[in-house]
Each structure stands twice: as C-alpha cells, then as structure tokens.
C-alpha cells in the first residue's frame, strides 16, 4: 500500500468518524431534550393535580395554570391558601408516583411573615424523607401570594440515566473510534517497518557486495601465473582479501549480535577491566589511519570497572567508526576520560557534520540512519548505535549525546565505578 493510499484512507476514516461523532452528539442531545420535555410535562401535570386537589379540599375553583417553572429544575405552585407541610408532602408523593417521577426532590412552603420559603424536606427516589447535611434555600417569587416550591437537584443525572440506548451506542462509537485509531497506528507502524526493512536489505546488499567484489577482483589477480613473480604485489592482494574478509565477518557479526540482543540472548561476562588499556587497544588502528587528527585525553584516575571486555571494545569501536563516518576528510576524533563522583565518564567527540535536533531521539533506534544531505559516502546498516545503546543498558550505564549541525557530536558514556 502506497503512502498516498494510506494518507487517503486516514483522511476518509477521520472524516467518517467525525461525521459519526457529530451525528451521535446531535441525536444524544435530541434524546436528552425529549426526555427533559417529557419530564417537564409530567412534573407540570403532577403539580397541577396537587394544586387542584388542595383547591378542591378547600372548595375553591380550579386554577387553569397554577404551576410556573422558575428554572430548569425548580417549580412554584399557587396555593391561594396556607397549607400544612404533612398534607403537601403526602400529595406530592402520591402524584409523583402516579406520573413515574422517580427522582429526588425538595419542597418548601412560602411563609408571608418572614417572606421566605420554609424548607419542608428532601425526598429521595424511594419517596422517603432523607436528611441533608446543609441548609437548603429555595428561591421566592412575587407571582403568587401563597405558594410552595419544588426543586429536583438530581434532574440531569436522572434524565441521563434514562438514555440507556444512547449511552450504549455512544460507548460502541468510542470503541469503533479506538479500534480505527489502533488500526491506523498498526498500518503506519507496519508501513514504517516495511520501509525500514527494505532500506536495511538494500544497505546490507550494498555493504556485502563491496567486499565480495573486492575479493573477486583480488582472487582474479592472484589466479594469474605471473603474480608469483611479483611477491610484493602478491602479498598486497592477499592482505586485501584478508581485510575484506574481516570486514564481511564484522558485518555479519553486527547483524547477528543485534538479533541476539533483540531476543534477549546476550549474557555479559562481567569482570574487572582497565578502561584505558581497552581504549588504547581499540584506538591503535585509528591512530595509524588518522595520525595527528586522533587525540587521547585520558585524565581519569579511577579506571577499573566491571564490564564485558569484548562488548565494551565493540561499543568504543562502533562510536569511533560512527564519528569517522559522519566527519569530513580528514576526520578529527578525540577520546577523553574523567572522574566525577562515583562515575567514570568516557567522551568520544568529532568535528563532523553533526546531528539534527529532531534526529537525536531516534539515533539509537534499530535500522535508523541520520540523513546526511549531500554526504553520500556514509555506509552501514543502522545497527551500530542501537547495539551501543543495548550493551550500555545491559551494563546499567548511561549514554548522552550532544550535537550541533556543522560543529560535530559528543557521545558520553557514564560508567558506575565498582564499590
């Protein structure tokens, strides 16, 4: 699947999901409004019946519109005459049961002497009086002379509980959204993995072809009978074959080591090692190649560490090779050591092309290679720094990278000294 196809699928998917969400929100709101309207109508009917029953008990004429909605959850009802709290509570419970209004409510009766509503009680959804731990004040109105007020403090949650179907459908929509997002994540991840694998195979093929071609040319020369008459030339081509063979061996070992690390099959052979000795051994060949452009500044005084000698040598060698790869000609490399508290810090710096800030978090990822712009002589599988990071993690050390474009890079390994 091409990148444009994936992009189109994602865009269409996002549009479709957004449309579903918008429709879902619209219908949930419509359903809530409908439930709210039904609740309001049932409440108005119940309160009107209460008012008319009171009027009938006092032999008064019915009131056409005794109920007034003060706010979304508060109603006031015209009484015309004073009324006892117990009678009002009984009538409210009775009418609310008839109209299936099964939610908490609070009521109070207006007292003209204090010009306030005297709180009656808090009735729960089971129509039982419930104690409240705070003072409840119901608003007054100038619309009626004698009246009572009813408030529904849990109205919104009550109406929401009636939207079972819509709640379930919303959950299903969220699950579909999560599945779609996860599917897109997997597709993009697989696409990236496919690209990485393709680049790795291309790099590996190129890296293997170069020494193989060189060995073939050298063996063709050695196959000539006249080469035996030229011992210096014969020795030179034998050395070339040896070097290219070692190069192939190192490349294969690099791939195999990374595979073993990925499977957790590497076990460290930890022993006391002398770091400066290891650095000297690894850097011998680099000194011969770079001469005055290679500098050692070994200032650490505590240099005995617990480490796997072979893997530590490979780590330092990989960092040096990486510094040379991403440097101009001639490469300028410096290795320094120092002690800080209980740490031995190894620093490998170069004056190369540097690493972009956005690439720094990725350089230790498997198969990742920093884009080099116009520099096309950088070879490798993208495994070296990943191997370095894994080995350092296995030793329970830390590594830090500081880099500026055009100024070079500094890799620092923080090694904990043994007690």
């Amino acid at each position: 699947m091409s990148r444009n196809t994936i992009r189109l699928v994602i865009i269409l998917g996002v549009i479709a999901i957004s449309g579903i969400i918008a429709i879902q929100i619209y219908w949930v709101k419509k359903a809530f409004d409908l439930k709210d309207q039904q609740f309001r109508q049932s409440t108005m009917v119940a309160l009107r019946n209460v008012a008319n029953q009171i009027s009938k008990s006092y032999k008064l004429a019915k009131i056409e519109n005794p109920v007034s909605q003060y706010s979304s959850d508060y109603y006031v009802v015209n009484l015309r005459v004073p009324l006892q709290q117990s009678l009002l509570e009984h009538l409210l419970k009775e009418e609310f049961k008839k109209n299936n209004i099964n939610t908490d409510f609070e009521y109070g009766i207006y007292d003209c002497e204090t010009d306030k509503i005297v709180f009656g009680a808090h009735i729960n959804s089971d129509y039982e009086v419930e104690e409240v731990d705070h003072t409840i004040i119901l608003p007054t109105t100038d619309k009626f002379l004698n009246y009572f007020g009813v408030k529904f403090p849990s109205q919104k949650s009550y109406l929401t509980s009636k939207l079972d179907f819509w709640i379930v459908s919303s959950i299903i929509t969220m699950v579909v959204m999560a599945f779609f997002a996860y599917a897109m994540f997997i597709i993009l991840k697989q696409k990236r993995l496919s690209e990485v694998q393709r680049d790795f195979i291309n790099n590996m093929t190129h890296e293997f072809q170069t020494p193989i071609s060189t060995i073939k040319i050298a063996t063709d020369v050695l196959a000539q009978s006249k080469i035996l008459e030229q011992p210096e030339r014969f020795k030179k081509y034998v050395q070339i074959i040896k070097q290219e063979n070692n190069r192939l061996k190192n490349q294969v070992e690099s791939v195999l080591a990374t595979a073993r690390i990925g499977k957790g099959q590497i076990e460290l052979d930890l022993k006391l090692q002398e770091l400066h000795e290891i650095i000297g051994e690894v850097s011998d060949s680099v000194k011969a190649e770079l001469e005055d452009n290679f500098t050692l500044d070994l200032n650490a005084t505590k240099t005995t560490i617990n480490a796997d000698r072979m893997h530590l040598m490979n780590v330092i060698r990989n960092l040096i090779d990486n510094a040379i790869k991403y440097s101009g000609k001639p490469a300028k490399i410096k290795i320094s050591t120092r002690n800080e508290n209980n740490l031995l810090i190894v620093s490998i710096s170069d004056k190369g092309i540097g690493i972009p800030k956005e690439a720094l978090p990725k350089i230790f990822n498997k198969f990742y290679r920093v884009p080099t712009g116009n520099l096309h002589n950088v070879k490798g599988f993208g495994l070296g720094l990943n191997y370095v990071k894994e080995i350092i993690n296995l030793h329970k050390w830390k590594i830090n990278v500081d880099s500026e474009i055009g100024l070079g890079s500094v890799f620092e390994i923080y090694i904990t000294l043994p007690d």
Side-chain angles (χ1 to χ4, degrees):
M1 188 182 292
S2 68
R3 188 180 296 273
N4 288 336
T5 302
I6 293 176
R7 187 181 292 112
L8 179 61
V9 169
I10 292 175
I11 292 173
L12 292 177
V14 169
I15 292 173
I17 292 295
S18 300
I20 293 172
I21 293 173
I23 293 172
Q24 188 74 15
I25 292 173
Y26 171 79
W27 283 112
V28 168
K29 185 177 183 304
K30 291 286 288 184
F32 184 86
D33 291 343
L34 178 61
K35 291 292 182 182
D36 182 57
Q37 183 180 359
Q38 291 174 348
F39 179 83
R40 186 169 60 252
Q41 290 174 348
S42 297
T43 302
M44 296 286 279
V45 169
L47 293 177
R48 184 170 64 249
N49 290 341
V50 169
N52 287 330
Q53 286 186 52
I54 294 171
S55 297
K56 184 178 180 181
S57 64
Y58 282 91
K59 297 181 181 181
L60 298 174
K62 288 185 179 181
I63 307 174
E64 289 298 326
N65 297 304
V67 185
S68 179
Q69 187 172 5
Y70 193 85
S71 65
S72 62
D73 60 353
Y74 182 56
Y75 301 80
V76 291
V77 183
N78 188 7
L79 278 178
R80 295 189 294 182
V81 293
L83 187 66
Q84 291 183 350
Q85 176 181 325
S86 58
L87 176 60
L88 176 60
E89 183 176 313
H90 170 74
L91 293 174
L92 288 173
K93 289 180 181 180
E94 195 174 70
E95 286 300 323
F96 284 174
K97 285 180 182 179
K98 288 181 182 178
N99 289 274
N100 293 319
I101 302 174
N102 305 312
T103 184
D104 296 8
F105 69 91
E106 299 162 349
Y107 73 91
I109 302 174
Y110 177 72
D111 182 2
C112 60
E113 292 183 2
T114 61
D115 192 29
K116 292 180 181 179
I117 289 185
V118 179
F119 178 69
H122 179 100
I123 313 298
N124 60 28
S125 57
D126 295 324
Y127 304 105
E128 296 176 350
V129 176
E130 193 173 87
E131 295 293 332
V132 290
D133 56 359
H134 58 283
T135 302
I136 297 175
I137 301 175
L138 300 178
T140 59
T141 179
D142 296 331
K143 191 171 184 178
F144 306 123
L145 181 61
N146 289 292
Y147 60 92
F148 67 90
V150 177
K151 183 178 179 64
F152 298 94
S154 305
Q155 178 178 321
K156 288 186 178 179
S157 58
Y158 171 72
L159 294 177
T160 302
S161 68
K162 297 293 184 180
L163 303 175
D164 295 344
F165 169 78
W166 294 105
I167 292 173
V168 171
S169 64
S170 298
I171 292 173
I172 293 174
T173 302
M174 296 299 294
V175 171
V176 171
M177 286 177 55
F179 177 78
F180 172 77
Y182 179 72
M184 289 299 100
F185 171 77
I186 293 297
I187 290 174
L188 293 174
K189 186 177 180 180
Q190 290 298 325
K191 176 66 175 175
R192 174 60 184 160
L193 181 60
S194 176
E195 292 174 349
V196 167
Q197 289 176 334
R198 185 183 66 245
D199 292 342
F200 171 71
I201 291 172
N202 291 338
N203 289 335
M204 184 174 66
T205 302
H206 176 74
E207 290 293 306
F208 284 172
Q209 279 180 342
T210 302
I212 290 172
S213 299
T214 304
I215 290 173
K216 182 180 182 301
I217 294 171
T219 53
D220 288 343
V221 173
L222 292 177
Q224 298 174 5
S225 57
K226 293 182 179 180
I227 194 68
L228 297 175
E229 300 172 3
Q230 302 173 317
E232 290 298 325
R233 190 179 176 203
F234 180 85
K235 184 178 179 182
K236 176 182 176 182
Y237 280 101
V238 169
Q239 186 65 26
I240 289 174
I241 293 174
K242 184 178 178 181
Q243 290 175 347
E244 294 302 316
N245 182 66
N246 287 334
R247 181 178 172 186
L248 272 175
K249 178 184 175 184
N250 291 335
Q251 288 171 343
V252 172
E253 286 180 350
S254 175
V255 175
L256 293 177
T258 303
R260 288 196 297 270
I261 289 174
K263 294 179 180 179
Q265 295 177 348
I266 285 188
E267 294 184 3
L268 299 180
D269 181 19
L270 297 177
K271 294 181 180 178
L272 289 176
Q273 308 290 345
E274 178 58 40
L275 180 64
H276 286 177
E277 178 188 332
I278 292 175
I279 292 175
E281 185 175 340
V282 173
S283 59
D284 281 343
S285 59
V286 183
K287 287 180 183 178
E289 179 184 350
L290 299 181
E291 298 178 345
D292 293 339
N293 290 314
F294 181 79
T295 306
L296 289 177
D297 187 18
L298 309 180
N299 295 318
T301 55
K302 298 178 182 178
T303 58
T304 302
I305 60 174
N306 271 319
D308 184 304
R309 184 180 184 86
M310 181 193 71
H311 287 298
L312 179 55
M313 291 179 70
N314 288 340
V315 164
I316 297 173
R317 187 180 292 113
N318 278 339
L319 290 176
I320 293 173
D321 289 344
N322 190 74
I324 294 173
K325 282 181 184 179
Y326 291 92
S327 293
K329 297 295 182 179
K332 294 184 178 180
I333 310 298
K334 179 181 178 180
I335 300 179
S336 61
T337 63
R338 67 184 189 275
N339 290 119
E340 286 185 8
N341 299 323
N342 195 39
L343 294 175
L344 172 55
I345 301 173
V346 183
S347 175
I348 300 174
S349 60
D350 62 71
K351 300 295 182 182
I353 61 175
I355 304 171
K357 295 294 184 185
E358 62 273 14
L360 283 175
K362 306 174 186 176
I363 60 174
F364 294 111
N365 293 347
K366 190 181 294 184
F367 305 125
Y368 182 79
R369 302 182 70 204
V370 179
T372 56
N374 294 325
L375 189 63
H376 301 291
N377 63 337
V378 178
K379 301 177 182 179
F381 299 149
L383 297 176
L385 289 181
N386 176 258
Y387 170 82
V388 167
K389 179 68 172 177
E390 293 294 341
I391 294 300
I392 286 175
N393 286 343
L394 286 173
H395 279 87
K396 297 181 180 178
W397 300 339
K398 293 183 180 180
I399 186 168
N400 183 59
V401 186
D402 188 19
S403 185
E404 292 288 341
I405 295 294
L407 298 179
S409 305
V410 179
F411 287 78
E412 290 190 326
I413 304 172
Y414 294 81
I415 302 172
T416 304
L417 293 170
D419 295 333

